[in-house]
Amino acid sequence: MTYVNLGSWFQTSIINKDTGPRSIPISKFLSSGSISLKIPSLHQKQRKPMSSICAVLAKEETLQEDQRKPTFDFKSYMLQKANSVNKALDAAVSLKEPAKIHESMRYSLLAGGKRVRPVLCLAACDLVGGSESMALPAACAVEMIHTMSLMHDDLPCMDNDDLRRGKPTNHIVFGEDVAVLAGDALLSFAFEHIAVSTIHVSPLRIVRAIGELAKAIGAEGLVAGQVVDICSEGLSEVGLEQLEFIHVHKTAKLLEGAVVLGAILGGGTDEEVEKLRNYARSIGLLFQVVDDILDVTKSSQELGKTAGKDLVADKVTYPRLMGIEKSREFAERLLNEAKDMLSGFNQEKAAPLIALANYIAYRQN
């Protein structure tokens, strides 16, 4: 059964897709004022420069050659990888006694979602020369932890949400007590799954991967971002530096962990791991910037979760501090910085990570 919905991939993008690569720090970007993009009129006639017949033929030959090059089918890739992850998750977290806790775990874990994090893990592993089997347990572990974070995020003591992925949240169905325990169970099982189920990888790399994941979600990672986010609610003096800290830790750290785990388990060199870490940090922050934009521009039905909840909770967001257009421009720069980190790799193998960066930037839910 396929859980991925990528129909929105073909809709209008959030940010300008046609802008060339640029790498501008946020501090410099914010102080630079508005940026105007000159777009030529569709009705404006373009003068053709004088050129030789040979040059024209060479250009036509290049165009024909480009048309013959196979294009990367991102939708098929995502469906294939998500199906692999879904099957592995279904097998890993089976329905057994105590039935209620396992039902609760499976309810949220198998509720669908785009599976972006586990696919990032698998793509990074492949990029550095590894195979899918080497990273699949880690990819599942990342999704278990992501699911746990959503279950706990939705609790009345946190964001108090009733809707997740178009369905009632876990605590609405199973109660707050079971939802907390099911999240805890997914968290602990994630590490067990990497340790026990990872194959064809040296013990040293497995231990290194477990350490990376633990750091990504602990008091220096996801938890740190969540705590600062809670403490920042209702405060008027929260600035961009604090907002960036929240999102780098709350959102980007787990995306970074997913990519770095794949690179480590796939046998990547230290240099390759660090390049992919920087790529992941950019797309992790990009993910949250886009999330903030969608929260104020889309409906609950379109998002599959409660829209406008950040505004109701009086949370500081990028659109609130920068405005919608500046937020979109910042997202564009993060996208280009992420792609720059992949320039030294085999571009055919890097295609999934490039496409995933584009998808995060242009997603509609």
Side-chain angles (χ1 to χ4, degrees):
M1 183 173 181
T2 299
Y3 295 92
V4 175
N5 177 10
L6 294 174
S8 60
W9 173 259
F10 301 101
Q11 297 179 19
T12 304
S13 67
I14 292 175
I15 63 177
N16 185 355
K17 300 181 186 178
D18 298 323
T19 306
R22 284 170 291 172
S23 180
I24 300 176
I26 181 170
S27 56
K28 191 171 182 180
F29 164 69
L30 291 171
S31 63
S32 64
S34 300
I35 297 174
S36 60
L37 301 176
K38 295 182 180 180
I39 303 174
S41 169
L42 293 175
H43 303 290
Q44 184 178 352
K45 292 183 178 179
Q46 302 292 324
R47 288 186 178 179
K48 293 183 179 180
M50 295 294 292
S51 59
S52 67
I53 294 176
C54 291
V56 172
L57 291 175
K59 183 178 180 181
E60 289 177 353
E61 186 178 336
T62 302
L63 289 172
Q64 290 173 3
E65 188 177 322
D66 288 341
Q67 289 170 357
R68 289 195 298 268
K69 288 180 181 178
T71 56
F72 177 69
D73 190 340
F74 176 65
K75 186 176 180 181
S76 294
Y77 179 86
M78 286 295 290
L79 290 171
Q80 177 195 342
K81 294 300 181 184
N83 279 333
S84 295
V85 171
N86 288 330
K87 288 177 183 177
L89 289 171
D90 187 26
V93 184
S94 58
L95 189 56
K96 53 188 175 183
E97 294 297 330
K100 191 162 189 178
I101 192 72
H102 288 93
E103 286 172 0
S104 177
M105 292 164 70
R106 286 172 60 85
Y107 176 82
S108 292
L109 187 63
L110 305 177
K114 307 171 193 72
R115 306 305 192 201
V116 169
R117 290 160 188 81
V119 175
L120 280 167
C121 184
L122 298 178
C125 180
D126 180 65
L127 179 61
V128 297
S131 63
E132 181 177 296
S133 62
M134 298 165 78
L136 191 55
C140 289
V142 168
E143 190 65 15
M144 291 174 198
I145 292 171
H146 175 56
T147 300
M148 172 278 298
S149 72
L150 299 181
M151 292 165 68
H152 286 181
D153 250 3
D154 293 335
L155 290 168
C157 64
M158 301 284 275
D159 288 350
N160 194 23
D161 258 323
D162 297 335
L163 192 66
R164 173 68 67 178
R165 291 171 174 165
K167 299 172 64 176
T169 46
N170 198 286
H171 68 274
I172 295 295
V173 178
F174 295 95
E176 292 178 44
D177 47 3
V178 173
V180 170
L181 293 172
D184 292 343
L186 283 172
L187 175 61
S188 60
F189 183 63
F191 291 98
E192 177 188 340
H193 193 56
I194 296 177
V196 172
S197 302
T198 304
I199 58 174
H200 308 311
V201 179
S202 71
L204 283 176
R205 285 190 177 267
I206 294 174
V207 170
R208 183 181 171 189
I210 289 174
E212 281 280 351
L213 185 57
K215 188 173 182 179
I217 64 174
E220 296 180 33
L222 188 153
V223 171
Q226 188 72 41
V227 168
V228 176
D229 187 26
I230 291 170
C231 295
S232 300
E233 288 183 20
L235 298 180
S236 58
E237 67 273 16
V238 176
L240 279 166
E241 187 176 345
Q242 188 166 341
L243 181 64
E244 186 166 338
F245 177 92
I246 291 169
H247 292 324
V248 163
H249 290 77
K250 183 179 175 181
T251 303
K253 281 292 184 181
L254 189 54
L255 281 161
E256 178 185 326
V259 172
V260 170
L261 259 64
I264 290 172
L265 296 170
T269 65
D270 289 347
E271 183 182 358
E272 289 173 332
V273 169
E274 290 311 306
K275 280 186 178 180
L276 287 169
R277 187 191 300 279
N278 290 329
Y279 158 84
R281 283 177 180 169
S282 291
I283 65 167
L285 189 53
L286 171 64
F287 191 98
Q288 189 59 54
V289 175
V290 173
D291 216 46
D292 284 357
I293 294 170
L294 292 174
D295 189 65
V296 295
T297 58
K298 298 292 180 180
S299 67
S300 297
Q301 185 177 3
E302 288 172 311
L303 294 177
K305 60 182 180 179
T306 308
K309 65 178 183 179
D310 292 338
L311 186 63
V312 173
D314 200 25
K315 283 189 175 183
V316 178
T317 64
Y318 282 99
R320 180 173 167 182
L321 291 182
M322 302 170 65
I324 295 289
E325 290 309 314
K326 278 283 188 181
S327 297
R328 285 172 173 156
E329 290 170 5
F330 181 40
E332 180 185 344
R333 279 148 185 78
L334 289 169
L335 174 61
N336 289 329
E337 287 172 3
K339 289 179 179 179
D340 285 345
M341 289 296 106
L342 300 175
S343 60
F345 291 96
N346 178 295
Q347 289 304 288
E348 186 176 342
K349 281 197 167 188
L353 289 174
I354 294 170
L356 276 159
N358 284 329
Y359 172 68
I360 288 171
Y362 306 138
R363 66 195 175 96
Q364 298 293 304
N365 59 21

